[in-house]
């Protein structure tokens, strides 16, 4: 219902509306929950950053003439993972 209301009030297609409901608890438990959410978001961002760095390293390793197998050994991943990283980059 909230999505419909926002779409009507803002005169935008319903597909463009995203409604997120967050519960906030008062006191120290609420603060603990807030910090946990912030840390989880920071961890997700760090994971995305690390993945991007690994993709760049793979590109450099392969660009320097190493094989996918050699790059996999250097990075401690499977050759299949190297192929996935190349495709996603």
């Amino acid at each position: 219902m909230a999505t419909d209301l926002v779409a009507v009030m803002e005169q935008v297609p319903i597909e463009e509306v995203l409604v997120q409901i967050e519960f906030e608890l008062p006191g120290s438990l609420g603060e603990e929950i807030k910090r946990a959410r912030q840390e989880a978001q920071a961890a997700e961002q760090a994971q995305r950053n690390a993945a991007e760095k690994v993709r760049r390293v793979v590109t450099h390793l392969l660009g320097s003439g190493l094989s996918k197998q050699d790059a996999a050994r250097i990075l401690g991943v499977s050759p299949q993972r190297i192929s996935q990283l190349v495709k996603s980059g």
Side-chain angles (χ1 to χ4, degrees), residues 18-19 22 34 36 38 42 47-48 60 68 78 80 83-84 87-88:
L18 173 64
V19 175
E22 292 185 19
K34 185 178 179 180
Q38 290 170 340
Q47 182 65 38
R48 285 190 294 271
H60 288 140
K68 288 181 182 178
S78 70
Q80 292 83 2
S83 294
Q84 290 172 342
K87 288 179 186 176
S88 69

Side-chain angles (χ1 to χ4, degrees), residues 18-54:
L18 173 64
V19 175
Q20 291 182 311
I21 299 172
E22 292 185 19
F23 297 95
E24 291 188 21
L25 297 176
S28 63
L29 181 56
E31 288 300 316
E32 189 175 345
I33 291 168
K34 185 178 179 180
R35 284 191 302 274
R37 285 180 182 157
Q38 290 170 340
E39 288 181 22
Q41 288 173 348
E44 288 172 8
Q45 184 61 48
Q47 182 65 38
R48 285 190 294 271
N49 292 344
E52 180 55 36
K53 287 179 183 178
V54 169

Side-chain angles (χ1 to χ4, degrees), residues 1-11 14 17:
M1 288 190 302
T3 305
D4 291 338
L5 178 62
V6 171
V8 169
M9 296 296 292
E10 296 295 321
Q11 299 179 344
I14 197 168
V17 178

